[in-house]
Amino acid sequence: SLSLSLSLPLVLATFSRSPRSPQSAEKSWRDFFDVVVVSACKPAFFEDGTMLREVDVASGRLILGQFTGQTALGRVLAGGSSKIVNSLLSSTGNDVLYVGDSIFGDVLKSKKLRGWRCTAMAALTTAHFS
């Protein structure tokens, strides 16, 4: 499991591709998405962004240097911008599903600025049921 404790990850999936099939019998939640972005530094992510880096999923640490790979499929990335992610996925607008944790900072901005499909996810704790 990813050990970065930076924040709830921003998850992007495109609807133009068939679902990714994991190599092992055990599926991770990440296998259902094209790319996962953590430490997006919103709202900068929707503007100029920050340096895009890859995360070593085994250790949870950032790989040194800027990510310059040809494809982001199946990777966990840190930082970057929505424009860079669109380019890496070769997708725009309605082809992208954005899952965020903030109605204003994630859902409204991603829809308004990029035309992405979007949804919000809220963390539940046992305190909600007391």
Side-chain angles (χ1 to χ4, degrees):
S1 70
L2 189 61
S3 63
L4 280 178
S5 60
L6 302 170
S7 66
L8 188 66
L10 169 155
V11 181
L12 301 169
T14 60
F15 294 100
S16 59
R17 296 180 176 82
S18 59
R20 295 179 57 239
S21 52
Q23 300 295 334
S24 69
E26 290 186 37
K27 292 183 181 179
S28 163
W29 62 269
R30 292 187 316 268
D31 294 320
F32 295 96
F33 298 95
D34 294 323
V35 64
V36 175
V37 180
V38 298
S39 298
C41 299
K42 299 168 289 191
F45 179 79
F46 294 108
E47 296 162 3
D48 294 332
T50 61
M51 182 187 339
L52 182 66
R53 305 206 24 215
E54 186 172 5
V55 176
D56 179 336
V57 177
S59 70
R61 294 187 176 153
L62 296 174
I63 296 173
L64 292 178
Q66 186 167 348
F67 176 74
T68 57
Q70 293 299 314
T71 181
L73 295 178
R75 299 180 191 273
V76 176
L77 303 173
S81 71
S82 55
K83 184 176 178 180
I84 291 171
V85 171
N86 270 346
S87 177
L88 287 171
L89 291 174
S90 299
S91 297
T92 58
N94 233 9
D95 288 339
V96 178
L97 171 65
Y98 175 96
V99 181
D101 64 345
S102 166
I103 296 294
F104 177 73
D106 293 336
V107 175
L108 293 177
K109 280 199 169 199
S110 64
K111 184 67 174 173
K112 183 179 178 182
L113 298 175
R114 293 290 171 214
W116 292 347
R117 294 181 192 203
C118 42
T119 188
M121 163 184 324
L124 295 177
T125 65
T126 55
H128 290 96
F129 302 105
S130 304

